[in-house]
Amino acid sequence: VIAAGNMGTAILDGFTITGGNAYTNSVIVNNYNIDGAYGGGLYVVGTSLVVRNVSFTKNKASIYGGGMYNAQASILLKQCVFAGNSARDGGGIYNLESICTVSNSLFSGNAATSTGGGVHNFTNCVTNFTNVTFSGNDAALGGGIFNNDNSSVNLKSSILWGNSTDIRQFNSVQVFNHSLLSSTEAGIGNLNVDPNFIHAPSYKDAPFVGGDYHLEPCSPAINAGDPSASMGSDLEGQTRIQLGRVDMGAYEMAQHFVDDNANLVSTAMSMATGIQVASGKTWYAAECNQLLVSVTSSGSAPVTGRLNATVWINNQPQFVGRYYEITPENNATTATGKVTLYFTQAEFDAYNAQNKMKLPTNVADENGKANLRIQKRSGRSNDNSGMPISFPGAAVEIDPDDTDII
């Protein structure tokens, strides 16, 4: 596919471009010389183009831009996939003196024998990536992105993970904010942890088409994108924002996969971290599916932002054998909300076997519910045991509403 010269308002929408192979002789289109070794899938020169809902797969170029080649162009890419494309430079895209804005898109399994497995920018390029996922891309330099010769990259609410290298730059500028990267980079709100994709093939297998780059329900990239982001749509057309704040990467998490009916954690100590939904209930789970606690933002100063939860399992005669530590990162001393703690019937039975005052023996035991009390202490466990005496705050007894004990 070739777009050359002034074409007015040009839009390419809803296509799959696959199997292109740029290795033939050059041709002239609208007075532009179209090099036959560039742009295996799409060649754009001297024009503006909007590309949306287009997949570029298994395209090849012997030199530049396996999936797409842009020269002196202004390109807007929305909800696009670049997968399994290959070239010497710029396996997915090669930009030359171009402005390229990409959102809600995926670059996976692209390969370059030299530079820029996902994207190569050369000479005065400006590239902006918002909610873009780069994974499984391979190159000798810049598996994800190669940025060269006075070019700039602005990455926001995006994921660069599992490429041979994330990004390499020479005499250029790169800005990363609210993004997840396998390398530690300066910026605001960036993460350097596994995003927990459903399935991410190795960059060593590139070029390839495949993988599942949706986020696992315990992914740290959920609700961790730019907090000022407005509503929109992800790569699949799923509405952003779903759970209170935009996610990082191409896909928005559409629902909670953990709820009150999930299996409880059973190891001696478990931890979970997440972003509290500003108005609603958030479940905190270890290993994506083992429930620790849930929190509902409510009250005079509803809890928001990142929240850390820890539970210890340790049977002691005077307490039921689960001890919780719940710590909001924002306004920990004043934040308000409703906390739901989870226990097994076996844990209540073990307590009852050692104490005269009985806790519920089943869900219908109203007398047992009336006996239940919670001891709260402020602060963090100073020896990481979770035992009540390890917390600095004074003990405060809470008598929960019996209708909330289910």
Side-chain angles (χ1 to χ4, degrees):
V1 179
I2 298 172
N6 186 5
M7 301 186 301
T9 302
I11 299 174
L12 188 64
D13 191 352
F15 288 89
T16 295
I17 299 176
T18 187
N21 196 345
Y23 69 95
T24 60
N25 296 328
S26 299
V27 296
I28 302 297
V29 177
N30 289 342
N31 296 318
Y32 284 90
N33 180 58
I34 307 302
D35 195 302
Y38 303 173
L42 175 61
Y43 190 118
V44 183
V45 59
T47 190
S48 298
L49 182 65
V50 175
V51 182
R52 61 192 182 206
N53 303 306
V54 175
S55 293
F56 297 81
T57 61
K58 299 182 180 179
N59 301 289
K60 301 177 182 180
S62 58
I63 302 180
Y64 297 151
M68 185 178 191
Y69 174 81
N70 304 311
Q72 298 88 44
S74 179
I75 306 298
L76 180 62
L77 293 163
K78 297 181 178 181
Q79 296 167 306
C80 291
V81 174
F82 289 81
N85 304 289
S86 58
R88 190 192 74 186
D89 300 291
I93 296 177
Y94 188 100
N95 291 312
L96 171 66
E97 297 177 337
S98 294
I99 299 172
C100 186
T101 300
V102 187
S103 63
N104 298 294
S105 295
L106 171 67
F107 290 79
S108 65
N110 302 289
T113 55
S114 183
T115 58
V119 174
H120 180 120
N121 298 315
F122 185 66
T123 308
N124 301 323
C125 289
V126 177
T127 50
N128 300 294
F129 300 100
T130 303
N131 284 113
V132 178
T133 295
F134 290 84
S135 186
N137 302 290
D138 182 41
L141 293 174
I145 302 171
F146 185 81
N147 205 33
N148 194 16
D149 192 21
N150 197 37
S151 294
S152 66
V153 167
N154 185 359
L155 199 76
K156 182 170 62 176
S157 301
S158 295
I159 298 174
L160 268 167
W161 188 269
N163 306 287
S164 56
T165 54
D166 278 351
I167 185 167
R168 289 293 298 272
Q169 66 90 19
F170 295 93
N171 190 32
S172 294
V173 176
Q174 53 196 37
V175 178
F176 307 110
N177 289 312
H178 302 290
S179 292
L180 189 153
L181 309 107
S182 58
S183 56
T184 302
E185 303 288 348
I188 301 170
N190 293 323
L191 300 177
N192 179 223
V193 292
D194 191 331
N196 294 333
F197 294 128
I198 297 293
H199 173 57
S202 171
Y203 69 85
K204 295 178 181 179
D205 296 327
F208 64 80
V209 175
D212 186 344
Y213 299 94
H214 291 84
L215 302 173
E216 291 273 11
C218 62
S219 169
I222 296 172
N223 286 349
D226 181 4
S228 66
S230 58
M231 300 295 287
S233 299
D234 72 358
L235 176 56
E236 295 178 318
Q238 172 70 47
T239 299
R240 297 188 190 269
I241 302 165
Q242 286 288 319
L243 301 175
R245 176 171 162 179
V246 71
D247 297 344
M248 294 174 175
Y251 298 102
E252 188 81 0
M253 177 63 75
Q255 66 186 58
H256 290 288
F257 285 85
V258 178
D259 58 21
D260 294 326
N261 299 314
N263 293 327
L264 303 188
V265 293
S266 57
T267 54
M269 176 183 173
S270 298
M271 303 176 67
T273 297
I275 303 293
Q276 177 66 30
V277 175
S279 67
K281 190 172 186 177
T282 303
W283 289 265
Y284 295 86
E287 302 299 328
C288 297
N289 58 6
Q290 299 176 42
L291 183 61
L292 275 74
V293 66
S294 65
V295 178
T296 302
S297 296
S298 60
S300 59
V303 58
T304 60
R306 191 168 296 276
L307 185 146
N308 302 305
T310 305
V311 62
W312 293 266
I313 300 176
N314 185 357
N315 290 319
Q316 298 290 322
Q318 69 272 38
F319 296 105
V320 178
R322 282 180 189 256
Y323 307 90
Y324 290 87
E325 180 181 281
I326 302 164
T327 309
E329 289 190 357
N330 298 330
N331 307 315
T333 60
T334 58
T336 58
K338 181 179 180 179
V339 177
T340 301
L341 307 177
Y342 300 87
F343 301 88
T344 68
Q345 185 60 55
E347 289 164 347
F348 280 1
D349 293 343
Y351 174 90
N352 289 342
Q354 302 179 74
N355 294 274
K356 291 182 178 181
M357 182 176 289
K358 305 302 181 183
L359 298 180
T361 57
N362 55 63
V363 294
D365 184 356
E366 299 301 327
N367 291 329
K369 292 180 181 181
N371 291 332
L372 195 148
R373 299 291 185 273
I374 297 169
Q375 186 183 105
K376 174 186 176 293
R377 295 172 182 259
S378 61
R380 307 287 296 270
S381 175
N382 56 33
D383 61 4
N384 205 34
S385 70
M387 296 302 297
I389 60 173
S390 69
F391 290 86
V396 177
E397 186 175 275
I398 299 173
D399 181 5
D401 190 326
D402 290 357
T403 60
D404 288 335
I405 305 171
I406 57 176

